[in-house]
Amino acid sequence: MPFKVAAFYQFAALPDFRALREPLRAFCAGLDLKGSVLLAHEGINGTIAGTDQGIDDFVAELRRGPLFGDRLDNLELKFSAAAQMPFQRLKVRLKKEIVTLGDTSVDPTRQVGTYVDAADWNELIAAPDVTGLDTRNAFEVAMGTFEGAVDPRIASFGQFKEFAARNLDPAKHRRIAMFCTGGIRCEKASAYLLAQGFAEVYHLKGGILKYLEETPQQDSRWRGDCFVFDERVALGHGLRERAGALASDVGRAGAPCEAAVHE
């Protein structure tokens, strides 16, 4: 049977994140959900799969249930489908950061780049004075990216700061339009660049997944497939599973197929 997949995140103050782990794990297990959820002081990040009802109940708990007490009222959320269960187990993990930049002073709740809706993205990245920047890892970029985007050639997001220091200049790169799978890496990366003195930093709201969901293929500037961190491996326009892709094949190439979080 088909499964519903939810990819989600929100930067929010969760000083009690350690105490939230076991109740959240038990709640997910009770709904027979599988996937991975990360909890940290700065918020929540994850991708899970289950029945339609199970996912709906999970999302309702995050947004309005007593567990988080209305702290996740601005949840960034995307749904897709999987022909088979794309995860082998359920994991709820505690982390220093919900996406690892390696700089805990960066706080997207205080300062973040300008969000750009999918409908406006093509026009922005076509502008001659805009530098398109893919903030994802090299193996993800190799599978697909936007036309003309800069590939930072990093092995992990933690190397983004080093890339920026070597290759980006606030005086030269006046307008930067960055993107990532679901949006979370751009939250951190845009906040970091603004703190370094870059004047105009934009990022694709909802990430590549939202763009592929909303943009007709004939109007798209995306080329290739979008890697996702589960056994579906990659999604195309309309968030359709890539035919013939095998998680084991990507895993042999070095991609963390069971990371389960979308970033």
Side-chain angles (χ1 to χ4, degrees), residues 5 9 13 27 33 39 44 69 77 80-81 92 106 125-126 155 157-158 164 174 188 193 197 199 240 244 251 253 262:
V5 182
Y9 75 86
F27 184 77
L33 304 179
L39 293 169
I44 189 170
L77 181 66
S80 56
V92 179
V106 176
I125 62 175
F157 183 59
R174 301 289 299 174
K188 279 277 185 87
L193 290 186
R240 293 184 296 272
H262 64 288

Side-chain angles (χ1 to χ4, degrees), residues 22 27 38 48 53 81 105 110 128 175:
E22 182 52 33
F27 184 77
L38 306 183
I48 58 167
Q53 188 62 56
S105 69
R110 294 201 308 260
R175 303 177 72 203

Side-chain angles (χ1 to χ4, degrees), residues 160-235:
F160 180 81
K161 293 189 300 180
E162 298 172 12
F163 161 79
R166 292 193 309 266
N167 299 282
L168 300 179
D169 181 349
K172 179 181 178 182
H173 302 99
R174 301 289 299 174
R175 303 177 72 203
I176 294 177
M178 60 174 59
F179 58 93
C180 55
T181 307
I184 189 171
R185 279 177 280 197
C186 291
E187 302 267 4
K188 279 277 185 87
S190 67
Y192 176 76
L193 290 186
L194 288 171
Q196 303 306 306
F198 288 82
E200 294 184 47
V201 183
Y202 304 88
H203 49 115
L204 179 57
K205 183 172 176 55
I208 300 161
L209 295 180
K210 180 60 69 174
Y211 182 90
L212 294 178
E213 179 184 6
E214 295 186 352
T215 306
Q217 189 163 358
Q218 64 269 21
D219 299 331
S220 177
R221 296 195 60 175
W222 175 263
R223 298 294 178 264
D225 295 301
C226 180
F227 180 88
V228 289
F229 289 86
D230 60 59
E231 294 196 0
R232 294 174 298 173
V233 179
L235 301 178

Side-chain angles (χ1 to χ4, degrees), residues 5-14 24 36-40 42-48 58-59 62-63 68 71-79 97-100 107-109 111-117 135 157 178-191 202-210 260-263:
V5 182
F8 57 92
Y9 75 86
Q10 184 177 334
F11 287 95
L14 299 178
L24 182 61
S36 192
V37 182
L38 306 183
L39 293 169
E42 64 180 6
I44 189 170
N45 176 24
T47 305
I48 58 167
F58 173 79
V59 171
L62 292 189
R63 285 177 163 166
F68 289 92
R71 290 177 290 179
L72 301 182
D73 58 349
N74 194 32
L75 198 68
E76 181 65 42
L77 181 66
K78 284 167 289 297
F79 297 113
E97 301 175 73
I98 55 174
V99 58
T100 304
D107 183 357
T109 65
Q111 178 178 242
V112 74
T114 301
Y115 296 101
V116 180
D117 289 334
T135 65
F157 183 59
M178 60 174 59
F179 58 93
C180 55
T181 307
I184 189 171
R185 279 177 280 197
C186 291
E187 302 267 4
K188 279 277 185 87
S190 67
Y202 304 88
H203 49 115
L204 179 57
K205 183 172 176 55
I208 300 161
L209 295 180
K210 180 60 69 174
V261 287
H262 64 288
E263 297 292 52

